[in-house]
Amino acid sequence: MDTRLIAIGYGDVAGPATDPGLRRRLSESGCSAVQVNLDDADVAAAMRFGPGDAEGRPIGGFVSAWTSDVPATLALLAEVGPVYRVTEHRRLDPPVVPDGARAEALANVAVLRRPASMSRDDYLDRWLVHHTPIAIRTQATFGYVQNVVEEALTPDAPEIAAIVEELFPSAAIEDVHAFYGSGGDDAELHRRITELMASVARFGADTGLDLVPTSRYRWVRP
């Protein structure tokens, strides 16, 4: 089974992330799939926040690769930014789209940090076991992938706990009811937000979180 690596790009990463030459080299390095998530013009109106890197640069995108040769793929992904090896938990499989086509969605990607006061086992239990069903039932997600960070593979990579992918209807870029699936009912919207935020706080994701709206592209044969 291939290993998933994720590179986080800070600042403007559109050039290197979308370079066909990089995808070709990744394919030659042993990758079976490549995914690019970019904070671009298509999601410009969506909400975004977070501390970014040590220099204050926001996250501009992500490049994921599924590979049978971690060292070779790592050397290429490091051109984009710090690289992490992750374990996927695919809760809601994103719809399949043609290679290189933009997914018709708001593809939010969140970078999570574990509170220092919480053990890793406790953190993962609260997030993966208890929070997951709440997140799914309080939002209009139709794709939900949780990536647990197992290790950072590049020097001086910021310490993070997880990278989460959630796909929402495109209307959610500007419509909060479309984001939460509350059907225009303000009371239901408030109830969903309250339940979700209480759950988020229980594993410390209410602080120190990067939330990045993106357009999602994937190549099964890069």
Side-chain angles (χ1 to χ4, degrees):
M1 184 175 180
D2 284 352
T3 300
R4 183 175 184 180
L5 307 183
I6 302 179
I8 300 178
Y10 292 90
D12 183 6
V13 297
T18 59
D19 180 8
L22 175 61
R23 293 198 302 277
R24 175 183 54 77
R25 288 181 288 146
L26 285 169
S27 179
E28 292 170 351
S29 79
C31 291
S32 59
V34 172
Q35 180 178 305
V36 174
N37 290 76
L38 286 177
D39 185 353
D40 61 13
D42 287 317
V43 296
M47 177 178 62
R48 56 184 54 72
F49 57 80
D53 66 4
E55 299 174 6
R57 293 181 302 168
I59 296 174
F62 305 80
V63 179
S64 296
W66 288 257
T67 183
S68 59
D69 188 337
V70 169
T73 300
L74 169 61
L76 296 169
L77 287 183
E79 298 175 12
V80 176
V83 183
Y84 302 85
R85 178 175 65 85
V86 304
T87 297
E88 285 184 296
H89 297 262
R90 301 181 72 84
R91 306 303 192 179
L92 296 173
D93 274 320
V96 175
V97 298
D99 276 11
R102 182 183 182 276
E104 187 57 43
L106 164 63
N108 271 356
V109 183
V111 175
L112 307 183
R113 296 165 178 85
R114 174 170 59 87
S117 60
M118 195 177 298
S119 72
R120 187 171 191 268
D121 286 346
D122 191 22
Y123 177 85
L124 293 178
D125 179 67
R126 294 187 192 192
W127 175 43
L128 295 177
V129 178
H130 299 285
H131 174 72
T132 299
I134 295 173
I136 290 173
R137 72 171 177 256
T138 58
Q139 301 176 101
T141 46
F142 61 91
Y144 187 34
V145 181
Q146 297 166 308
N147 299 290
V148 177
V149 170
E150 302 296 348
E151 61 176 333
L153 298 179
T154 48
D156 302 320
E159 184 176 347
I160 62 174
I163 300 169
V164 187
E165 306 165 70
E166 293 181 287
L167 270 63
F168 297 85
S170 295
I173 293 173
E174 299 188 72
D175 183 351
V176 68
H177 284 290
F179 189 97
Y180 286 99
S182 47
D185 184 328
D186 287 342
E188 176 61 12
L189 173 65
H190 177 73
R191 187 197 67 77
R192 289 182 178 225
I193 292 174
T194 300
E195 182 180 7
L196 179 65
M197 291 301 102
S199 180
V200 163
R202 284 192 283 271
F203 65 100
D206 54 336
T207 59
L209 170 78
D210 282 288
L211 177 66
V212 188
T214 75
S215 293
R216 178 182 184 270
Y217 305 86
R218 184 178 170 91
W219 292 263
V220 176
R221 301 171 185 84

